[in-house]
Amino acid sequence: AKRKRHLKIRFRFPATAPPWPLIIYSPGLGSGADNGSPWCNHWRDHGMMVATITHPETADDIWDVSNGTLHAQLTRALDGGQLGKRVKDCRFVIDQGLGRVEFARLIDPARIAAAGHSYGALTVQALSGQYRGSVPQFHEPRIRAAIALSPGAVSAAAAKSASGITIPFLCMTGDHDGYVDFGDGSNGMRLGVPLDNRIAVYRSLARGRKHLLLLNNADHMTFAGESLPPGRFRRAIAATRASETQAWDKISRVSQYF
């Protein structure tokens, strides 16, 4: 209420006895509670509680063009202040999870992790201790491990700021994970970074605590882990239901092992 933010959160509860590890999941731009469902469900089935956050202003509400064009919605979503808002959303969920009686007994405070795709990966990088300027401005010390699906940096030099991350960190990307087109034509926008920049984030992480999964025949939206409505994104690969399912299974299993 203090920030006038209405957060929609999807909780997944394991069938095992609590307390459980808690994974905070942050979706990519233009996506909400369905983002990452294959691995979020997989984590739940292996004893982990998952809280997927729908971040206002950068979630699937950008596709509602009743208040402006898609290009205008994307421009607002990419405003520099949005990353800080997303970080505070994640902190709020952790605060509520540990502070509310109905949740606190379910969560092991020593086993809190963060994961996210694209914009969500940037959010996770910030929470994990990536430098912003000369300090880790958004670092959340309660997070003990993290997964970035399609990690990002505007340049190889900028990726060096990830050297501030010292917790165990898994980067997941694909051989076609670069730019992605939102919408089409003059009303859309091309976003993303080259694959080399994503791998540069991994290379900058602390030695001995970093891991990388590089999937063949996988593009940026492979790591969204959801069915994509037609016309919203232009894919870099000719994805099929079979190929997506196979990739999602690998992402689920590798992240579970991590």
Side-chain angles (χ1 to χ4, degrees):
K2 291 180 180 178
R3 295 191 297 129
K4 298 179 180 179
R5 301 267 288 178
H6 182 191
L7 299 185
K8 298 177 183 178
I9 306 168
R10 175 176 291 174
F11 291 102
R12 291 173 169 89
F13 300 100
T16 54
W20 306 304
L22 170 65
I23 302 176
I24 302 294
Y25 192 83
S26 179
L29 176 61
S31 189
D34 290 336
N35 193 260
S37 287
W39 35 94
C40 289
N41 290 338
H42 189 83
W43 300 337
R44 175 205 60 203
D45 293 343
H46 286 80
M48 304 172 217
M49 177 179 170
V50 184
T52 301
I53 303 172
T54 298
H55 300 280
E57 302 172 315
T58 61
D60 42 10
D61 50 359
I62 69 165
W63 303 105
D64 179 5
V65 294
S66 59
N67 294 320
T69 64
L70 175 60
H71 192 280
Q73 298 277 65
L74 288 167
T75 300
R76 282 193 291 270
L78 295 170
D79 177 81
Q82 290 291 348
L83 180 62
K85 291 180 181 180
R86 282 173 150 257
V87 166
K88 289 178 181 178
D89 292 344
C90 295
R91 283 199 183 123
F92 175 80
V93 173
I94 296 174
D95 290 342
Q96 294 295 304
L98 298 180
R100 295 175 69 99
V101 173
E102 61 267 38
F103 281 122
R105 66 181 182 83
L106 304 178
I107 299 169
D108 182 348
R111 293 188 294 166
I112 298 176
H117 171 240
S118 193
Y119 214 152
L122 293 176
T123 305
V124 168
Q125 290 167 226
L127 286 163
S128 300
Q130 180 165 304
Y131 284 97
R132 187 175 176 86
S134 59
V135 296
Q137 181 181 350
F138 295 132
H139 183 218
E140 174 47 71
R142 292 174 293 185
I143 292 174
R144 306 298 180 88
I147 300 172
L149 297 102
S150 302
V154 295
S155 67
K160 292 181 180 179
S161 61
S163 62
I165 299 173
T166 58
I167 60 175
F169 200 97
L170 171 61
C171 293
M172 309 181 88
T173 185
D175 57 353
H176 294 283
D177 187 2
Y179 296 97
V180 60
D181 291 315
F182 284 69
D184 193 18
S186 60
N187 190 38
M189 188 180 292
R190 170 161 283 196
L191 300 172
V193 297
L195 174 60
D196 287 348
N197 292 20
R198 303 191 191 282
I199 296 177
V201 173
Y202 161 74
R203 290 176 177 151
S204 299
L205 295 167
R207 287 187 176 182
R209 316 209 81 181
K210 61 182 178 181
H211 308 269
L212 173 67
L213 173 68
L214 178 58
L215 278 181
N216 290 328
N217 196 36
D219 67 358
H220 192 71
M221 300 314 296
T222 300
F223 298 90
E226 61 182 315
S227 298
L228 303 173
R232 289 190 176 182
F233 303 98
R234 186 179 299 173
R235 303 292 299 270
I237 60 171
T240 65
R241 170 57 68 178
S243 67
E244 293 281 77
T245 300
Q246 184 179 43
W248 294 348
D249 180 63
K250 290 179 180 178
I251 293 167
S252 298
R253 288 187 290 110
V254 169
S255 57
Q256 175 217 330
Y257 297 151
F258 170 77

